[in-house]
């Protein structure tokens, strides 16, 4: 990799307007948040767009198979905490990873079908947007679709992490 070519600039992971400033995990995600404001959206539209773009731009950090948390500060000064983390399947039990003697069964919680959680990322962000967003859903997710379809210049760490997991 030619790391000189990857030198970061001021526009790498930030964007600003007259009434907002954005710091995000990547160039495209910061630009997506800025785009939402340019289109007349609000902070929720920007946050949701940023999250979806990050799922494409930095899939090792977050993504469709995960979930999250969001603290929303509403105009009426009320703070709302939204939990959209992954959840255990409906048939999960307290002792499902234990043998009859109540010992932990090695690997059971990390490998195989019983290690799976139900992702909350997409539904959580959709519900947050539906409740407090301003722009149409399609406009908010368009930046993530655009970079997924058209490609983008990846950060060197993406290449390094990819080689570790391949």
């Amino acid at each position: 990799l030619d790391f000189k070519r990857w030198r970061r600039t001021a526009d790498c992971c930030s964007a600003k307007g007259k009434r907002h400033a954005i710091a995000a995990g990547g160039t495209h995600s910061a630009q997506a948040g800025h785009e939402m404001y340019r289109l007349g959206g609000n902070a929720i539209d920007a946050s949701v767009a940023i999250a979806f773009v990050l799922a494409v731009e930095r899939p090792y950090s977050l993504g469709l198979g995960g979930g999250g948390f969001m603290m929303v500060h509403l105009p009426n000064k009320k703070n709302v905490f939204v939990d959209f983390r992954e959840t255990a399947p409906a048939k999960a039990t307290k002792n499902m990873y234990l043998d009859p003697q109540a010992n932990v069964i090695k690997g059971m919680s990390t490998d195989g079908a019983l290690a799976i959680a139900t992702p909350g990322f997409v539904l959580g962000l959709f519900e947050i947007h539906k409740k407090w967003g301003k722009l149409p859903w399609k406009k908010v997710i368009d930046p993530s679709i655009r970079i997924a379809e058209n490609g983008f210049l990846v950060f060197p760490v993406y290449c390094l992490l990819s080689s570790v997991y391949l």
Side-chain angles (χ1 to χ4, degrees):
L1 293 173
D2 180 9
F3 285 98
K4 286 184 181 180
R5 196 177 104 213
W6 294 87
R7 187 178 331 156
R8 292 179 179 235
T9 62
D11 66 340
C12 167
C13 303
S14 64
K16 63 184 175 184
K18 293 185 184 216
R19 300 189 67 198
H20 67 272
I22 297 166
T27 305
H28 300 284
S29 51
Q31 290 170 354
H34 185 58
E35 181 181 335
M36 296 305 106
Y37 282 111
R38 278 197 330 269
L39 293 171
N42 60 20
I44 295 297
D45 297 315
S47 298
V48 171
I50 288 167
F52 273 98
V53 171
L54 280 172
V56 177
E57 190 174 34
R58 303 279 181 107
Y60 48 83
S61 297
L62 76 159
L64 304 180
F69 303 108
M70 186 181 283
M71 178 67 78
V72 181
H73 181 70
L74 300 173
N76 66 4
K77 308 288 186 216
K78 182 179 178 186
N79 293 318
V80 178
F81 178 77
V82 183
D83 178 354
F84 53 101
R85 284 297 306 219
E86 308 83 343
T87 57
K91 292 192 175 191
T93 65
K94 178 181 162 188
N95 297 323
M96 64 192 277
Y97 302 127
L98 303 178
D99 66 18
Q101 291 74 41
N103 297 310
V104 173
I105 303 169
K106 186 177 167 85
M108 191 105 159
S109 66
T110 57
D111 300 314
L114 294 180
I116 303 300
T118 303
F121 184 84
V122 175
L123 182 60
L125 291 174
F126 177 78
E127 292 296 328
I128 288 166
H129 176 264
K130 185 168 76 172
K131 194 164 191 175
W132 297 298
K134 192 173 170 187
L135 295 173
W137 177 249
K138 174 79 170 90
K139 290 237 184 254
V140 174
I141 63 169
D142 268 347
S144 59
I145 294 168
R146 199 166 48 241
I147 71 162
E149 288 180 343
N150 298 329
F152 58 96
L153 191 60
V154 297
F155 286 87
V157 71
Y158 188 106
C159 299
L160 295 173
L161 287 171
S162 297
S163 67
V164 169
Y165 293 112
L166 292 178

